[in-house]
Amino acid sequence: MKRRVFLAAAMPVTLAACGAQNIWASDESLRAARYVSDEPPSITLLTVIGIPRGEGGHSGLMLNGSQRVIYDPAGSWQHPRIPERNDVLYGITDNFKNFYIDYHARSTYWVAEDTVPVTREVADLAIRRAEQNGAGNKSFCAVESGKVLSGVPGFEGVPRGFSPLRLRAWFLTLPGVQSKRHEDGDPANNHDVLLRQKDGQVVGYPRR
């Protein structure tokens, strides 16, 4: 089994230390990156959870509607082929979804992937709300994820607060939720990501 190598020194390694940035990719780059998944429309909560204490490290949303994006409030993951507008990451192919998960799953953190099926209209509303929400402030990842969900039909009861674990506990009560656990070193969930620094850019999965 291949081991993942993280040599991108410029990227933060402390997941809980979320930092806000105002990033605005061009319309052209968003159109070029747009990815439409064959999977049914859904809203997925991605929660980074510490090992062995079980503390919540980060919250994000993967929204699959007329396109698939990740809302990563105050997150640290980036890729030169993934355009971003204020914490919304576009062009989330299966490869880049795996790249995002493997970036967070390591010896000290595992990633919970909890998915609820929704209609295309509901998923697109969630995407619009994420786009309108703006960049999240440091350590506000759970707060901003909850804020986006609060205006989406079926998710109005979302708790508001700073705890990724409390947000996930509520999400798991939703009808039809399906869960996956991603761990570093687990052959069943190891996507063999190699992340390296080259010419000042972080590269990994080729875009497909």
Side-chain angles (χ1 to χ4, degrees), residues 30-189:
L30 264 58
R31 285 193 296 269
R34 182 185 181 93
Y35 173 71
V36 181
S37 171
D38 292 334
E39 297 178 356
S42 62
I43 292 177
T44 298
L45 177 66
L46 298 164
T47 310
V48 183
I49 300 174
I51 301 171
R53 292 175 298 176
E55 71 277 14
H58 188 59
S59 295
L61 299 170
M62 185 168 65
L63 309 170
N64 183 34
S66 58
Q67 63 177 316
R68 188 163 70 186
V69 306
I70 288 179
Y71 176 58
D72 192 34
S76 59
W77 183 78
Q78 57 182 299
H79 190 282
R81 292 185 180 179
I82 294 294
E84 176 183 349
R85 277 191 178 176
N86 289 345
D87 292 339
V88 180
L89 307 171
Y90 296 83
I92 304 302
T93 65
D94 290 344
N95 262 343
F96 282 120
K97 170 194 169 183
N98 292 340
F99 192 1
Y100 177 91
I101 290 172
D102 278 357
Y103 168 77
H104 291 88
R106 54 191 69 177
S107 61
T108 51
Y109 289 95
W110 65 278
V111 178
E113 179 186 353
D114 302 307
T115 300
V116 172
V118 296
T119 65
R120 177 65 57 87
E121 291 74 20
V122 167
D124 285 346
L125 173 60
I127 293 173
R128 290 195 300 273
R129 287 185 57 82
E131 291 172 330
Q132 295 165 2
N133 196 59
N137 293 317
K138 181 179 179 179
S139 299
F140 274 64
C141 43
V143 172
E144 301 299 341
S145 295
K147 187 187 299 184
V148 167
L149 291 175
S150 66
V152 178
F155 297 82
E156 297 92 342
V158 61
R160 305 294 286 273
F162 288 87
S163 171
L165 295 181
R166 183 166 177 250
L167 177 60
R168 182 179 186 238
W170 171 84
F171 201 89
L172 288 174
T173 68
L174 296 174
V177 64
Q178 296 184 344
S179 300
K180 295 180 181 178
R181 180 182 179 116
H182 301 274
E183 295 186 69
D184 180 60
D186 182 348
N189 291 307

Side-chain angles (χ1 to χ4, degrees), residues 6-39:
F6 290 87
L7 300 177
M11 298 179 70
V13 295
T14 304
L15 298 177
C18 308
Q21 292 184 347
N22 294 313
I23 299 173
W24 193 263
S26 67
D27 291 344
E28 181 180 11
S29 65
L30 264 58
R31 285 193 296 269
R34 182 185 181 93
Y35 173 71
V36 181
S37 171
D38 292 334
E39 297 178 356

